[in-house]
Every structure is written in C-alpha cells, then in structure tokens.
Amino acid sequence: MAFHDALQVAAAIAARAPSSHNCQPWGVGWATDAATRRTAAALLAAGEPGGRAAVSPGGGSAGTAAGAPDGRLGGTPDGTPDGTPDGSGRVPSRRSEYLVLALDRARELTALPAHATEMLLSCGSHGEILARALAAQGWRADGVRLLGPGATGGAPPFGGDRWPRAWEPLCLLRLSPAPAPPGDLAALRETVGARHTNRGPYRPEAIDPGVLARLASSAAESALLRAQQAPGAPVAVRHLVGAPERAALAELVARHGGRDFAHRAAWRETHAYIRRDEAEAARAGDGFTLGQLFGELSPPRRLGMRAALAPATMRLLRHAGYDRFLARQLAAAVRRSPAAVALCFDGSDGSDGSDGSERPGNPSGPGDFGGFGGRTPDAGSVLRAGAALAGYWLAATRAGLVLHPVSVLLQHEDVRDACERRLALPGRALFLSRLGYAVTAFPSSHRRSPSHALRRV
C-alpha cells in the first residue's frame, strides 16, 4: 500500500489511543519535500552510533510540499525522484519515509507538574499504535531518534510554516517497506476500537495468573522503539492481586483521592473537558460525558451531578467533605476490583541527575532513550513507557479485561512517594489502574478527526 494511504488508515486507528482527559495532545509530521527528507535523514544518521551527519541551519525545510495550504494530508506527495506518480497522482514509492511524533502544546494539560509526564505517556501510546498500524500495512519502523535539545545545533528541526508553532518534536521515525502478516490490520483495528476506560464495577472473579504473566510480557513489546533498544530505564509491570495489597491501595485512594476535586486549578482544567451531552462531545471530538464518567444516569441525577461538579459548587461542597465522599466511592470500587496494575520505572541506573534530565520534556541528550536522573524520568524514557502502556492495554483488551486509571495517586509527589512505599513498588510509578472484567459496558469517548493531528512538513 502507498504510504500516503497507509498513513491515513494508521492515523484513524491511532486517534483512539489513550490520553489524560481524552485531550489527545499529539501531532505527527510527515516529511515529504526533498529538503525536509534530507533533514530527517541527517538527524537520524547523526543519532546512530558513529553518526556524523550535519544538519544545516534553518532545519533544511526549504520549499513546500504539495497538499493542503496548512500542510494537512491531501493531494499528492512531492514526487521526488525515487517515486513516480501513478494514475491517482500519488507516489507508490518503496523508499523509506520519515515521521515526526510531536507534543501539541496547545492541547496539553498544565494544571499540575505531573501532567507533563502524562502528556508524554499519551504521545508515546499514540506513536506505538500508529507504528503498529503502519507495520500491519507493510511499513515498519527501522530507525528512531529522540529530538531533544541540541539535536539540530540550535536550529528548528523543520523550518517553514508547515510545522505548527505549538508542536514540540519528540522523536523521529524512519519507516521502510516490510512484509505484513495478513489479518494484522483488522485485528489491531478491532482491538483499538474496543479499548477504552471503564469506570464501572468489575466482576469479583480472579484473573488467571497465566493471563497476568502474558500481560506483563506484552509491555516489553514495542513497535515504536524496537528499532533502537538503547539501555536505560526499563518499564516494570506489577500486578496487585492479594487482598492486603488491594486493601492498601483502596486506603490510599480514600485518604488522598479527594485531591482531584479539591485542587482548584486541576479541577477547573478537568471540568473543562466534561461535555454537556453526546452532541457536544461529538462536536468537540475530545473530553468525556457524564455517562462516560459515571455510567448511565437518569435525567434528574445527570442534572444534579452537572451542578455538583461545577468548579464554583465544588469549592463550596469541599467544606462539607464532598471531595472526601467522592474519594471514598472510588476507593470502594478499587477495593472490589480483583486486581490493580502499576507500571513503574526501574530507577536503579545510578544516575545522579547531573545531566539536566530531571524534568520530563528535557531529555538527557539527543537520541538518548536511556535512563533518568534522580527520581524523574527523561522524555525519551517516558515515551518508551507510553509505548509499553499501549502494548499492555491492547493485550488486556484482547484478554477481555478493562482498565480504570487511578491517576490521582501519581499526580502529587508526596502521595506518589507514599503509594510507592506502601505498595512496595519496584521503582517510580508512572501508571496505576484498576484491572478486571467489566460488569457493564461503558461508552467509548469521541475523537477528533485524524487530519487535525497530521501535517506534511
């Protein structure tokens, strides 16, 4: 399949990747004009062992690619010499192609410092599903490089007005033609479509240990970063299945879960993503409805919940302990779930953080998907963790399981530390969730058109 078509199919599938508040903070640039492709190749070569390729000032993006005026997909690629347009005007080229995975700063959550990590996890999950969908169509990632500070010698990685100002490049992927097993694309589309957060009750039956073992191994299978297995912070999967562990987790939620509602800025940001009804959610293409948060609600209860969750009301009800009441409700759901899962970094790499990698989004060096200094992972490690999370969640969906993230325990450092100590987690926790078999189906959330996150560059 021509890459243009494969990318559109893959983008439609990857649009359903998980993201905090369903904010979808990702973007993908496709290098199509000759100058931009040379820049991409040079950046990738410079990041490979022994690479010495230089990147010219200005990012090498002179010229414009054919397509929509704003760079969105449409029309034809540029028709560089290694491909000849067919009857449709597209280039059925068998050359390698280059994609840039980006964080869309205009769509990120910012109320809490921990949201920086959540946004990178979301982008990593999106990139993983995108790479899997392309591989299922005969385009496999065989080169990956993190685009950190210094990767282009201080010049913008891609010049010109086709690169959105709000997009921060995260990593560069090279994709080359490769055989695709039949049926992979249909299976992936079905699994991704079935994957969504289920906040309802779970059946009490235990999950077979063999299933849990397969889920743990699935987190290590990453299509996004398979091409560059750099040493660094691996992602460990810890399942909490024993009654004492689940009780301890429920106690932590009951004690600290109210912070989600009591923190004014964080709750105001969360509330901005709660849509009035399905019609508004469909128009926005993001966020969630009350039904996706609480399940089916009667009209009177829906009105009552809408009023109670408004930021102004929440500030008043907080003095009456409403935030603690909601935390106890979540704790009860955790306690009744047959399992929980934590994805953690193994932080025993010995780094002292002196390389400047202590803040997510500030990689320790260009092309480095390695470890992290101190307690906070670098951007490359978080992207890798996002890819692992996507692999885990898809494997859980195939096994008939559902997840409900309990993010509040990881969004405040003191609570995170207490959680890691109380649950004896193997390293810094980056994802924590209920896990089980759903009693009732929850509706999936709406998504923006894939074209909003795709640009020719």
Side-chain angles (χ1 to χ4, degrees):
M1 179 181 290
F3 188 77
H4 175 280
D5 300 318
L7 180 56
Q8 290 188 316
V9 170
I13 295 173
R16 302 208 65 82
S19 62
S20 298
H21 297 2
N22 190 26
C23 68
Q24 303 163 52
W26 46 68
V28 175
W30 175 24
T32 53
D33 84 18
T36 308
R37 284 175 51 80
R38 285 194 297 270
T39 298
L43 283 167
L44 192 63
E48 292 174 345
R52 298 179 180 276
V55 179
S56 62
S61 186
T64 58
D70 62 356
R72 297 188 186 188
L73 294 196
T76 64
D78 64 325
T80 43
D82 48 1
T84 302
D86 61 16
S88 69
R90 291 175 183 155
V91 180
S93 157
R94 304 311 288 169
R95 65 183 183 182
S96 292
E97 300 288 350
Y98 298 92
L99 296 179
V100 183
L101 177 64
L103 168 63
D104 186 347
R105 292 290 187 187
R107 300 195 61 80
E108 67 176 338
L109 305 180
T110 59
L112 296 171
H115 284 155
T117 295
E118 293 184 13
M119 297 301 96
L120 291 173
L121 285 173
S122 300
C123 290
S125 293
H126 179 266
E128 172 67 17
I129 295 175
L130 184 75
R132 290 189 182 203
L134 286 168
Q137 300 175 86
W139 293 92
R140 183 162 300 171
D142 61 0
V144 178
R145 188 189 177 195
L146 178 66
L147 295 176
T152 61
F158 297 100
D161 58 3
R162 290 188 178 276
W163 185 260
R165 293 179 181 273
W167 285 16
E168 178 179 332
L170 298 175
C171 73
L172 173 66
L173 289 82
R174 182 182 62 221
L175 299 112
S176 301
D184 275 14
L185 182 64
L188 179 65
R189 181 186 283 114
E190 180 181 3
T191 302
V192 173
R195 184 223 65 81
H196 58 269
T197 297
N198 189 309
R199 298 175 175 85
Y202 297 170
R203 301 202 304 264
E205 63 190 78
I207 303 171
D208 183 88
V211 172
L212 295 177
R214 288 192 292 274
L215 293 183
S217 64
S218 70
E221 302 167 359
S222 168
L224 177 64
L225 299 177
R226 186 182 293 122
Q228 181 175 343
Q229 293 294 341
V235 176
V237 177
R238 170 78 183 281
H239 288 115
L240 309 174
V241 295
E245 291 176 315
R246 289 183 288 117
L249 177 59
E251 182 181 331
L252 287 164
V253 172
R255 181 180 303 172
H256 303 290
R259 288 208 191 179
D260 233 6
F261 310 99
H263 192 290
R264 290 189 181 185
W267 180 249
R268 189 163 51 247
E269 187 173 61
T270 298
H271 187 266
Y273 282 91
I274 300 178
R275 305 306 176 203
R276 178 176 294 273
D277 51 32
E278 284 291 331
E280 183 181 78
R283 286 194 300 271
D286 60 14
F288 31 64
T289 65
L290 290 175
Q292 287 152 357
L293 289 175
F294 301 105
E296 188 174 351
L297 298 172
S298 65
R301 191 179 176 205
R302 188 180 302 113
L303 287 173
M305 290 299 297
R306 187 179 301 148
L309 295 177
T313 310
M314 188 67 74
R315 285 198 299 271
L316 296 175
L317 292 178
R318 183 165 57 90
H319 298 293
Y322 188 54
D323 55 328
R324 295 188 295 275
F325 167 74
L326 293 174
R328 288 193 297 271
Q329 284 191 317
L330 177 57
V334 169
R335 188 175 290 107
R336 290 192 293 264
S337 301
V341 59
L343 270 64
C344 309
F345 286 118
D346 180 358
S348 58
D349 66 350
S351 174
D352 61 3
S354 60
D355 58 0
S357 60
E358 65 274 3
R359 179 176 59 84
N362 180 21
S364 56
D368 175 23
F369 283 97
F372 55 88
R375 294 279 296 157
T376 305
D378 63 84
S381 292
V382 180
L383 282 174
R384 172 177 290 194
L389 172 58
Y392 180 96
W393 208 326
L394 294 180
T397 301
R398 289 193 297 270
L401 293 160
V402 293
L403 283 80
H404 172 197
V406 188
S407 304
V408 65
L409 295 186
L410 307 181
Q411 290 177 337
H412 306 273
E413 286 301 314
D414 59 327
V415 180
R416 180 197 298 273
D417 289 342
C419 182
E420 290 167 355
R421 289 195 303 271
R422 181 75 182 275
L423 301 177
L425 298 181
R428 180 180 176 86
L430 64 119
F431 180 79
L432 185 62
S433 176
R434 298 168 58 211
L435 176 68
Y437 299 100
V439 172
T440 57
F442 259 51
S444 59
S445 53
H446 292 274
R447 292 298 195 275
R448 298 194 307 152
S449 167
S451 64
H452 288 297
L454 282 176
R455 295 288 187 277
R456 295 178 183 274
V457 294

